[in-house]
């Protein structure tokens, strides 16, 4: 028997095949004319061994012609022409049953003639999970855990020959291929034809078979067919992990290196796509000059993360590497520190265009680290006027930005990238110089222009992000969402800018009162600033003072590490409110002063200052500084545009509400105005706070209704209104405030922090409400309050 073939008692058949074999062996199906055609390792010989146990079965021998019974022909693909001619004649004799087993390849003409005279075929398939478990149990004499069965199925793809080789080496805790199992394949590997070996070695290295044509002595299709016939491949032509491991172990290293090296030579001569081959060579650990050349060529075609690995592999293989392109790939993949070190080294030694290109890489990396002043200087030095202009605007140097834009490099080609960057810079400059809404439109068009070509562009910021910031600063959150969704779909700026786009989209969610979603992984300093701002904003809106206190230290650290610039005003505004809330305004004051100085240097552009005035208004309210709050109310009233008008009206309402002057209709209109400009949470909060401060029961119900609608909770029904009035009539103003916050799920401590009373006082309020409403328990009290406040 050929080594490695399963024994008859190891054969595991599906039920239809089992019944057919029983009928053939017993003679019930005589005379038969059956073919058993399957790759090696599928159990053809074991099947014939099973049939050979029948009383009239005999093996085929040259020159012996039986008078009847069942004749079994194994490995027919290996027979010579004369033997195949004898088998073909026997196929015409109705007295003789005939079962012929063969591999799909090779297929000599004589074998084709034999198979053409047979009437049926026994199909041997890969094991499913149940049959594989049965095989493992039979081979080992014990059952295996589900994890081992799943591992065996994944490792062998259910190919019977692979399963039988693996089974004796499995243990109940096996999770990797046992080394002893690989030695089982030595005979099979040794008898592979050279072309089949080349195909399998390439597939084991992850190289697609269609790259092999130039390396084979015969037709590529025939070599692949031989490889399939060997039993190493699945039906779809893939290589199961066990077979791949056996080939890597048993094919001599120099032979594998020769195949992969020849592939590298071929691809380098022909050109074209290199990434697949480079990935395969990388996975196989291939080095040397030829592999290094493939790595270097593929790095120019690969996505940044893979390009970084390929540049490194090319350098390790001794091939020259373009250090500027390597630094650019590192930056695009988010590895800012290595990119900066590499670009800085090139700037110190290179000249001309290479030095300028390295400066552009360093400038982009510095921008993502929040160092916009230094970034702008490098862009100016490298002649990238539009990119320099954006950075200069961010640090308050509008005149220098305008000069940088005017000194445009006319020698550079007018590409989509260049046009988009220049247009975005023009739009941001216009937003600083004027309050013209066309500024936002200019940046939006720039973002759309960049989408087709922005995937691999190394940028300090994207037009989409700049447009989103402008939109969020002017009450156009819907435009911000659209810009950011499109930028994410187009993968503008690759992995480097994806977190920024996601963070800005989350900022829009925060303003609506939704829970922001932070991107995973380590973030660049600028992105971390926005992530901490979102965390602070979410804690404040959730009245979670303990979380706010914990997050505040991160916020202060982020501000210390990130210089104030025009594009960081959103998180600075959140930090201003948080600083007042946690009583740490003095430590934050210098950074806030820098922000106002920056805006003054730019001429106090209302587009960028309005949102900060709104945040500082609330900081002053929390700090109980009414005069300072009125200064921000006045600044908002003086600013042009619908966004500033909505904030100004809401600010005036806030000041009146805090003085106990609640005009329900005016508050309702102001709250809905905030909602219309994207500040949904602020609008709901204004209405809710006015409701708990008014002594007019109908006004309270109306404002609570407004707050619920703005929060997306629907309006109050007549029955709920009647219940609210009935409960409200029994409760004091302070008790209504406490009731609202309790129903919202706040703890006594959180309510106390919110209302500036102790947790013990909140508990006393709850006890009095329970007595007044006749509640039998705390849960009964909460149920009544939920109905009354429409929070059920």
């Amino acid at each position: 028997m050929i080594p490695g073939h399963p024994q008859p008692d190891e054969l595991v058949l599906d039920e239809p095949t089992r019944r057919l074999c029983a009928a053939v062996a017993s003679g019930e199906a005589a005379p038969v004319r059956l073919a058993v055609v399957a790759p090696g390792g599928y159990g053809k010989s074991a099947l014939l061994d099973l049939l050979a146990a029948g009383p009239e079965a005999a093996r085929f021998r040259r020159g012996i012609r039986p008078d009847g019974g069942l004749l079994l022909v194994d490995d027919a693909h290996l027979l010579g022409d004369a033997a195949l001619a004898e088998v073909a004649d026997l196929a015409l004799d109705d007295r003789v049953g005939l079962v012929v087993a063969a591999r799909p390849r090779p297929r000599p003409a004589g074998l084709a003639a034999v198979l053409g005279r047979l009437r049926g075929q026994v199909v041997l398939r890969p094991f499913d999970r149940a049959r594989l478990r049965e095989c493992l149990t039979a081979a080992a004499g014990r059952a295996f855990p589900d994890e081992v069965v799943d591992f065996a199925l994944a490792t062998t793809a259910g190919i019977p020959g692979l399963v039988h080789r693996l089974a004796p080496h499995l243990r109940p805790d096996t999770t990797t291929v046992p080394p002893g199992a690989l030695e089982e394949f030595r005979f099979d590997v040794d008898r592979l034809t050279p072309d089949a070996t080349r195909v399998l070695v390439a597939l084991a290295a992850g190289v697609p078979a269609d790259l092999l044509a130039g390396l084979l002595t015969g037709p590529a299709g025939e070599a692949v067919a031989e490889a399939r016939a060997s039993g190493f491949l699945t039906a779809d032509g893939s290589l199961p992990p066990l077979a791949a491991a056996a080939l890597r172990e048993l094919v001599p290293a120099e032979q594998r290196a020769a195949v992969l090296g020849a592939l590298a030579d071929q691809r380098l001569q022909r050109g074209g796509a290199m990434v697949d081959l480079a990935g395969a060579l990388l996975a196989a650990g291939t080095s040397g000059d030829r592999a290094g050349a493939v790595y270097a060529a593929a790095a120019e075609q690969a996505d940044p993360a893979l390009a970084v690995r390929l540049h490194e592999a090319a350098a390790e293989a001794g091939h020259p590497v373009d250090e500027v392109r390597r630094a650019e790939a590192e930056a695009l993949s988010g590895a800012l520190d290595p990119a900066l070190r590499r670009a800085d080294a090139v700037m110190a030694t290179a000249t001309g265009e290479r030095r300028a290109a390295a400066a552009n890489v360093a400038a982009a990396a510095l921008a993502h680290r929040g160092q916009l002043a230094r970034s702008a200087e490098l862009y100016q030095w490298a002649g990238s006027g539009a990119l320099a202009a954006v950075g200069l605007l961010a640090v308050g140097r509008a005149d220098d930005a305008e000069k940088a834009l005017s000194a445009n490099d006319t020698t550079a080609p007018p590409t989509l990238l260049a046009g988009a960057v220049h247009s975005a810079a023009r739009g941001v400059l216009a937003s600083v110089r004027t309050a013209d809404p066309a500024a936002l439109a200019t940046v939006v068009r720039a973002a759309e222009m960049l989408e087709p070509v922005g995937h691999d562009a190394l940028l300090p910021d994207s037009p989409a992000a700049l447009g989103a910031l402008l939109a969020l600063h002017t009450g156009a959150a819907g435009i911000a969402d659209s810009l950011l969704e499109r930028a994410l779909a187009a993968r503008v700026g690759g992995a480097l800018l994806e977190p920024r786009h996601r963070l800005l989209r989350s900022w829009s969610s925060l303003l609506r009162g939704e829970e922001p979603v932070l991107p995973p992984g380590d973030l660049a300093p600028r992105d971390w600033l926005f992530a901490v701002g979102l965390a602070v904003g979410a804690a404040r809106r959730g009245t979670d003072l303990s979380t706010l206190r914990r997050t505040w230290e991160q916020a202060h650290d982020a501000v210390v590490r990130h210089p104030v610039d025009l594009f960081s005003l959103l998180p600075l505004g959140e930090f201003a409110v948080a600083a007042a809330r946690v009583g740490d305004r003095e430590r934050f004051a210098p950074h806030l002063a820098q922000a106002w100085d920056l805006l003054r240097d730019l001429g106090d552009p209302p587009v960028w200052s309005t949102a900060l005035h709104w945040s500082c208004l609330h900081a002053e309210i929390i700090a109980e500084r009414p005069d300072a709050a009125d200064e921000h109310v006045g600044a908002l009233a003086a600013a042009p545009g619908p966004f500033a008008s909505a904030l100004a009206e809401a600010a005036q309402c806030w000041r009146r509400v805090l003085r106990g002057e609640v005009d329900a209709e005016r508050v309702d209109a102001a709250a809905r105005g905030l909602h219309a400009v994207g500040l949904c949470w602020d609008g709901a909060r204004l209405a809710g706070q006015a409701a708990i401060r008014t002594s007019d029961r109908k006004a309270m119900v109306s404002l609570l209704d407004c707050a619920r609608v703005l929060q997306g909770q629907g309006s109050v029904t007549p029955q709920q209104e009647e219940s609210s009035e009935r409960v409200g009539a029994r409760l004091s103003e302070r008790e209504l405030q406490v009731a609202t916050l309790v129903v919202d799920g706040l703890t006594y401590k959180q309510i106390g922090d919110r209302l500036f009373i102790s947790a013990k006082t909140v508990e006393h309020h709850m006890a009095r409400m329970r007595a007044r409403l006749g509640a039998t328990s705390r849960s009964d009290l909460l149920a009544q309050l939920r109905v009354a406040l429409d929070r059920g």
Side-chain angles (χ1 to χ4, degrees), residues 126-321:
F127 290 157
D128 56 21
R129 193 173 186 276
R131 288 199 294 147
L132 186 140
R133 181 187 291 276
E134 182 183 347
C135 176
L136 295 183
T137 302
R142 65 167 181 268
F144 285 95
D146 289 343
E147 295 79 7
V148 176
V149 175
D150 292 338
F151 164 75
L153 184 60
T155 304
T156 65
I159 296 175
L162 304 187
V163 174
H164 286 302
R165 288 162 174 78
L166 178 65
H169 303 275
L170 290 177
R171 299 292 178 268
D173 59 349
T174 299
T175 57
T176 58
V177 175
L182 303 181
E183 189 61 31
E184 300 274 351
F185 292 88
R186 186 169 296 279
F187 176 82
D188 302 85
V189 170
D190 287 345
R191 67 175 180 170
L192 291 170
T193 65
D195 275 355
T197 301
R198 294 185 184 99
V199 169
L200 292 171
V201 165
L203 292 175
V207 178
D210 57 7
L211 298 181
L212 298 171
L215 306 182
L216 305 175
T217 58
E222 185 65 27
V224 173
E226 287 183 22
R228 285 179 182 273
S230 70
F232 282 96
L233 299 180
T234 64
D236 64 3
S238 61
L239 199 63
L242 179 59
L247 289 161
R248 287 193 293 269
E249 176 70 19
L250 300 174
V251 175
E254 61 273 14
Q255 189 175 351
R256 287 185 288 115
V259 172
L260 297 177
L263 279 168
D265 282 344
Q266 174 183 293
R267 181 52 53 145
L268 288 169
Q269 291 172 3
R270 295 183 179 180
M274 296 281 186
V275 175
D276 286 345
L277 177 58
L281 296 176
L282 202 61
T286 308
S287 190
D289 292 342
R290 294 179 295 183
V294 171
Y295 295 145
E300 299 299 317
Q301 305 167 352
D303 285 340
L306 178 56
V308 170
R309 292 182 59 205
L310 292 171
H311 280 303
E312 182 180 1
E316 290 176 351
H319 191 275
V321 173

Side-chain angles (χ1 to χ4, degrees), residues 50-74:
L50 180 65
L51 297 178
E56 296 186 4
R59 300 281 184 174
F60 169 72
R61 294 183 182 179
R62 287 283 313 276
I64 299 177
R65 188 178 186 92
D67 293 331
L70 179 64
L71 186 63
L72 306 174
V73 184
D74 199 3

Side-chain angles (χ1 to χ4, degrees), residues 686-705:
L686 172 58
Q689 289 296 307
I692 63 177
R693 284 173 167 82
T694 182
S695 58
D696 185 329
R697 304 305 177 186
K698 286 189 176 294
M700 178 198 72
V701 172
S702 173
L703 289 170
L704 285 175
D705 185 31

